[in-house]
Amino acid sequence: MSEPTYTGIATSTGDGRSGGRAVTDDGQLDLTLAVPAAVGGPGGGTNPEQLFAAGWSSCFHSALKFVAAQRKIPVTDSAVIAEVTLHQGADGFSLSAALHVEMSGVSQETADELAAAAHRTCPYSKAVSGTIPVTVDATVA
């Protein structure tokens, strides 16, 4: 394993996703957690799936910019939308994800190649590789 570059630290207190609180060690993130109204909860707070989606979309977007720069391909107006879905089955809870990459200034073939390369590069993608179903698609605007 390589040398550590940075460690993000967050603490969850209270009742976790059911009205708990999540705070980072630097205080920049301080959230009340809540079960979404869409699944019978009270809503009014964020949830772990949103936090994971926010982190993954940001990391994946950086990976996309990195691989495009390595290949000297200018990418404009890019965005990454991460959908992290919680499933409940007979064996408990699980996750799946879909990553939607949007960009301009390239062909569809190049967009597909960059999205695939970003997926191989992104630490979040690597962390879940083989553990949850993930789809990646690219759209050229």
Side-chain angles (χ1 to χ4, degrees):
M1 175 146 315
S2 61
E3 288 295 314
T5 302
Y6 170 76
T7 301
I9 301 171
T11 302
S12 173
T13 57
D15 292 325
R17 73 167 41 246
S18 298
R21 185 173 164 218
V23 181
T24 56
D25 64 327
D26 62 5
Q28 293 297 305
L29 183 72
D30 188 341
L31 299 169
T32 298
L33 301 169
V35 175
V39 294
T46 194
N47 61 67
E49 293 73 37
Q50 290 172 318
L51 293 169
F52 190 35
W56 198 352
S57 66
S58 299
C59 185
F60 196 98
H61 199 188
S62 291
L64 177 71
K65 295 284 193 167
F66 175 78
V67 297
Q70 277 190 319
R71 298 173 185 201
K72 296 180 177 27
I73 299 172
V75 172
T76 59
D77 300 320
S78 58
V80 176
I81 299 110
E83 298 177 6
V84 176
T85 303
L86 180 67
H87 303 270
Q88 184 175 8
D91 60 344
F93 293 96
S94 63
L95 296 174
S96 66
L99 299 168
H100 307 288
V101 180
E102 299 173 349
M103 66 185 83
S104 298
V106 298
S107 69
Q108 183 63 52
E109 181 181 356
T110 299
D112 292 338
E113 290 171 6
L114 290 173
H119 191 47
R120 290 188 302 272
T121 303
C122 174
Y124 277 69
S125 294
K126 289 178 183 180
V128 302
S129 179
T131 62
I132 68 170
V134 178
T135 60
V136 178
D137 62 69
T139 302
V140 175

